Amino acid sequence: MSRVITITSGKGGVGKTTSTANLGTALAMQGAKVAVVDADIGLRNLDVVMGLENRIVYDLVDVVEGRCRLRQALIKDKHFSDLFLLPAAQTRDKDAVGPEDMIALANQLRTEFDYVIIDSPAGIEGGFRNAIAGADEVLIITTPEVSAVRDADRIIGLVEAAGKGSPQLIINRIKPRMVNRGDMMSTDDVLQILAIDLIGAIPDDETIVTSTNRGEVAVLDRTSRAGRAFSDVARRIAGEQVPMPTLEDEQGVFDKLFGMLARRPRGSER
Amino acid sequence: MGVLDGLFRRRERSSDIARERLLTVLVHDRVKLTPELLEQLKAELSAVIARYVPTVDPDTIEVTLFRGELIDHLKAEFPLRRQR
Ligand SMILES: Nc1ncnc2c1ncn2[C@@H]1O[C@H](COP(=O)(O)OP(=O)(O)OP(=O)(O)O)[C@@H](O)[C@H]1O
Ligand SMILES: [Mg+2]
């Protein structure tokens, strides 16, 4: 049974597009047929994040307005033959499509793919409503910051009011060191406030920037901590029980290790 | 604030401050009580209370929303003028 999952946030710039690209790719790596859809019409980005910008001929609005068939607009990924991108229009605005168009599009994609992952624009207006219209499930992205969490709370209310059930949460850009110092809210702090289920905690990681620079995604890089965290989220989406390592603990283990290393010379003196 | 204050005062964790501020702001967001509505609520409450307790001072009424352990509260306080 195929699933249509929309990734949204309220506040802009918290990692929706990054999450869509990484989760879409990770699900394809697991062997699923995946379509990622850029619903941020007028601010096309998912194509450059996935390094597919040079292959675009048609876009989502062309499909909706009947200028091409869906198949013609779908761009095949560089690495996975079962991963496709439906790009947003760059020169149109959000009013070019409506919720009914998005529902029809989602249902059409559903017949061909296991997962349809939709990258929503920020905000609470038309673009957001379009992006969730065809969704079975919604994932909310937030960072552990006051403004992002506040906006996430607002979005959670709107998603529930739209009859999409309780969304699941990804907390992105966590800095374990800052959390340990008490200078950044922990995943528990954020969860207590938002009171929805957590499906992923992603560290702030420079490999997100370097991989995006190249038009690759972090899940392809086994050394990327953020990439591994996104792969874990994809496995949880697929229904696997993957333990949620608290990033703060990871840091703690690291510190303990350092403590042990520092003590060892004395211990080995005898 | 003196330099010594800065040195000796234990710094409050900024993550705790963030959490507290968020909890407060979200109670207001969720209840959808704007500052104007809150003023209107105070005015109407004071009119009702004054009918029963004439010594209530309408200017000192305080209505606050705050977050409790399990439920959120709307708390109203009506200070009375002392009389003999
Ligand atoms: N875990 C992370 N570590 C480091 N940088 C990150 C991380 N996640 C996202 N970023 C960076 O944050 C920026 C915003 O990310 P992204 O474009 O995915 O956000 P968005 O929510 O889609 O933004 P918009 O609301 O504009 O669509 C990008 O520069 C991205 O590289
Ligand atoms: Mg985006």
Side-chain angles (χ1 to χ4, degrees), chain A residues 12-18 40 122 172-173 202-205 208-209 212 226:
Chain A
V14 296
K16 296 176 292 296
T17 303
T18 304
D40 199 348
N172 188 24
R173 308 201 69 164
I202 317 291
D204 190 80
D205 187 345
I208 293 289
V209 179
T212 307

Side-chain angles (χ1 to χ4, degrees), chain A residues 11 13-15 141-146 148-149 170-173 190:
Chain A
K11 185 171 161 62
V14 296
I141 316 288
T142 187
T143 59
E145 285 171 68
V146 176
V149 174
I170 294 179
I171 306 176
N172 188 24
R173 308 201 69 164
V190 176

Side-chain angles (χ1 to χ4, degrees), chain A residues 150 153 182-185 193, chain B residues 11 14-15 25-26 29-30:
Chain A
R150 182 195 199 173
D153 187 70
D183 275 333
M184 179 176 269
M185 284 186 287
I193 290 166
Chain B
R11 234 172 95 251
S14 72
S15 59
V25 84
L26 288 187
D29 285 356
R30 288 172 184 170

